[in-house]
Amino acid sequence: MAPALGPDNEGFRCELNGHEIQCRHPQTQEEITISINNLICILPRGDKLEAPRHVMLFLWLDENEFEVSRECMSLQSIEVFSLPAQLSKFVCSDIPPYLGAFTHEQVEKVDIHVIISTTSGTRTGMSVYKNILSPLLSQLGVREYAVHETRTTQTIVELCHTKLMPCAQAGIKQTIILLSGDGGLTDIIDSFHGAAMQYLARPIIALIPTGTGNAMASSIGLLKSRAAGLSALLHGHPAPIPAFLATFSAGSRLVTEAGSGRVNINSHSQSKTGHPTVYGGVVASWGLHAALVADSDTAEYRKYGAERFQMAAKEILFPSNGDDPHKFRGSISFTWRDRQTNKRHTEALGCEEHMYVLVTLVSNLEPGFTISPLSAPLDGCLRIIHFGPMTSEQAMNLMSNAYQGGKHVNDARVTYREIESFRITLGEVDERWRKVCIDGKIIAIEHGGWLEVQKIPERYLNILIPAHGDSDV
């Protein structure tokens, strides 16, 4: 039975035992054990003349559920009269200004938007909002905000162009609480960077990860605990989001409808030369990674969550007809900067067949899968990971090392370095092998077409990242 705040269970006494908070009511002897990983915040209650008391807000798993997921969790609270000193960092005495808090008897005017990506990951966004985020905002006294549910793949893009971007231009402060995976975040990044606008106020994004891989959330510490994203909403600090620009040959098309649809890349995103462009903040890839993301983007695969990527990878690496895994054909070159001389150099990979090529601004593609171990949160460094054709077993063994803290980059067969930009000219005939991935979006490039990716200096958006040491007690 879930605990609740009320007259029958007021006044719990708490003590910390390892990573668990043991709570006992002195009169009823009721006991509640709360994992430190589920603790969101502690709110002071009462005035200075009363004995100190607090309300502890935490995630609670339905006791009838056997699988731990956000979909079967809810926000719960208890009132406590004794608070271990180690939990003092969870105390939220003042609501942060980006949530429209009172500061020195003045209200910080902020437009707050809650965006719910209804199709991200295993479609838990609405459940997380109703059972966790909405009651949390109510407990915090945050009641003035707009809620937006995605109805189509263009919902977030349209919201950016009709509301978020004009307000940023006008200097209006905005906080975007985003219940999504990398795709929703990329829609915002692409929209803000794709328009030729000057923004007077940089919006703050509070990412509550509900996607499949959640690469950005994993890389900036929002998945260190179940409550990390919610805790960052209160205790985090905003940091600029770096981005890259992907430019495509003229015949490239965005893949939609679980692989069956093809549409033009958004017309608002075009380079000065007229080529279609997409801005991203996570990853651009071709080869094995792009193929497995494309192949696994179906309703049947998505119900498996992040496991869908490994399932699709095995099917690509071990074809049912017994053939060797596909060798991706094309030419790749990249530019890098000499830190001592500050000169840029262009270098071509000396091979025309490839298995894996990926450039990234983040460290993790999913929790535990460290694709770029040298990447620090939001450091703006673009890094390439590449290796050529090999047997299925060799590829599986190599990539499994990414789960060992990114040890795959120590293999002599892997190219891993910081770059400024890179270009791929595809030599494939079959469209299946001409698909590239930009932050989860799949783009089919025409035969003989190309892709260029370069990091850019502009940063138009902030994202809340956990305060240092938030995951430690």
Side-chain angles (χ1 to χ4, degrees), residues 395-413:
M396 289 289 288
N397 290 336
L398 180 61
M399 295 312 295
S400 68
N401 287 332
Y403 290 100
Q404 308 299 320
K407 291 183 179 179
H408 62 292
V409 301
N410 298 326
D411 192 295
R413 296 167 294 182

Side-chain angles (χ1 to χ4, degrees), residues 86-303:
Q86 300 98 314
L87 298 181
S88 60
K89 69 173 185 174
F90 289 95
V91 175
C92 188
S93 301
D94 298 308
I95 306 304
Y98 49 78
L99 289 179
F102 287 91
T103 55
H104 303 294
E105 300 183 354
Q106 291 185 345
V107 178
E108 185 85 16
K109 179 66 175 73
V110 181
D111 283 0
I112 301 175
H113 298 269
V114 176
I115 301 177
I116 306 166
S117 179
T118 56
T119 58
S120 289
T122 54
R123 302 173 184 261
T124 61
M126 183 54 68
S127 175
V128 172
Y129 171 71
K130 290 181 176 178
N131 298 331
I132 300 173
L133 179 61
S134 178
L136 173 62
L137 293 175
S138 180
Q139 285 271 16
L140 298 173
V142 178
R143 295 179 175 85
E144 293 187 14
Y145 55 89
V147 179
H148 313 272
E149 301 175 39
T150 58
R151 303 295 184 185
T152 71
T153 57
Q154 293 298 300
T155 297
I156 295 178
V157 174
E158 292 168 357
L159 178 63
C160 286
H161 284 267
T162 59
K163 183 69 175 178
L164 304 182
M165 292 160 58
C167 286
Q169 273 189 296
I172 298 173
K173 295 182 179 180
Q174 299 177 98
T175 297
I176 304 165
I177 305 176
L178 180 62
L179 285 75
S180 176
D182 297 313
L185 179 63
T186 299
D187 283 340
I188 301 176
I189 293 173
D190 185 37
S191 297
F192 270 76
H193 284 273
M197 293 183 178
Q198 294 293 323
Y199 305 108
L200 298 179
R202 186 183 287 168
I204 294 175
I205 297 174
L207 179 60
I208 311 298
T210 62
T212 303
N214 298 306
M216 176 64 79
S218 176
S219 298
I220 63 177
L222 296 181
L223 292 174
K224 286 186 176 180
S225 69
R226 297 189 194 103
L230 298 161
S231 181
L233 178 62
L234 294 172
H235 301 286
H237 60 89
I241 304 176
F244 59 77
L245 169 63
T247 306
F248 304 88
S249 51
S252 302
R253 306 263 283 174
L254 180 67
V255 178
T256 62
E257 299 175 11
S260 63
R262 301 289 184 276
V263 298
N264 291 330
I265 298 172
N266 288 332
S267 58
H268 71 84
S269 295
Q270 287 197 343
S271 67
K272 295 179 180 178
T273 60
H275 291 286
T277 62
V278 173
Y279 290 85
V282 179
V283 64
S285 71
W286 173 58
L288 176 60
H289 177 267
L292 68 87
V293 173
D295 287 359
S296 67
D297 189 20
T298 65
E300 178 64 23
Y301 265 119
R302 279 188 171 273
K303 69 182 182 182

Side-chain angles (χ1 to χ4, degrees), residues 22-69:
Q22 306 286 346
C23 305
R24 179 192 293 269
H25 195 287
Q27 296 178 349
T28 65
Q29 300 304 307
E30 179 184 0
E31 293 185 354
I32 299 170
T33 300
I34 304 167
S35 169
I36 197 71
N37 289 329
N38 291 346
L39 179 59
I40 299 172
C41 66
I42 301 171
L43 303 178
R45 288 289 188 259
D47 56 43
K48 295 181 180 179
L49 299 178
E50 297 178 342
R53 57 193 178 95
H54 298 81
V55 173
M56 187 178 293
L57 303 179
F58 53 94
L59 297 176
W60 187 262
L61 175 66
D62 188 329
E63 61 186 11
N64 295 320
E65 297 287 346
F66 296 99
E67 183 179 351
V68 178
S69 71

Side-chain angles (χ1 to χ4, degrees), residues 375-387:
S375 295
L378 308 177
D379 64 2
C381 294
L382 190 67
R383 290 183 167 87
I384 186 172
I385 300 94
H386 169 275
F387 57 87

